[in-house]
Amino acid sequence: MPIDSPNAPAPEHIAAPLLAAHVPEVEFLTGIGGNPRVVDTGGIPMFAFVAIEAEAGPVIDPTGTLYVLITSIDAGLAERRDEIDSWTVAIYDAAWSHDESVSAAESTTGFTAAWQQAWMRLERPDDRHT
């Protein structure tokens, strides 16, 4: 079940080429049950700043409140793989806040490194997810 986030889904003509440039990451997110999609993260004009949004998936988050926003360039998504300069993974808890991430990481070496670092940094004593 998708998280009810405040981020507007991108129309197909915007989302399709961006998802195509991020196939390995989209396949990973789909594999964990994340339902990845391109969303607008703010700015003017609309869809000037975009990210891949996905649920954390039922294995990582059985309660279904965690989701991630992923970028591959500063405040957005690369249109081609050779444009990727860094990965940012921010984890949000929809039950807590859509405005502040509960964890985040950035890596210039790859998506996997940013993904792992973000989840390793997710430590809150009252958090049912850790």
Side-chain angles (χ1 to χ4, degrees):
M1 174 180 218
I3 297 290
D4 185 23
S5 87
N7 302 311
E12 182 66 20
H13 74 278
I14 293 173
L18 295 172
L19 291 172
H22 297 83
V23 168
E25 297 76 26
V26 169
E27 288 176 349
F28 168 76
L29 294 165
T30 300
I32 65 167
N35 187 31
R37 60 219 161 259
V38 174
V39 296
D40 176 51
T41 57
I44 297 175
M46 194 162 184
F47 301 106
F49 300 99
V50 292
I52 294 174
E53 179 181 84
E55 290 82 26
V59 172
I60 296 172
D61 176 30
T63 62
T65 64
L66 297 180
Y67 67 99
V68 295
L69 286 177
I70 300 162
T71 60
S72 59
I73 58 173
D74 184 34
L77 294 170
E79 293 181 9
R80 295 185 325 267
R81 289 214 59 93
D82 63 356
E83 294 177 336
I84 296 171
D85 60 13
S86 67
W87 291 96
T88 302
V89 175
I91 303 169
Y92 292 82
D93 187 338
W96 184 61
S97 171
H98 291 291
D99 296 322
E100 292 184 45
S101 65
V102 293
S103 181
E106 184 174 353
S107 174
T108 56
T109 60
F111 168 75
T112 302
W115 177 266
Q116 292 173 340
Q117 290 169 19
W119 287 103
M120 288 188 306
R121 292 178 181 163
L122 181 66
E123 283 191 42
R124 295 182 299 151
D126 61 338
D127 187 2
R128 64 192 176 280
H129 299 101
T130 58

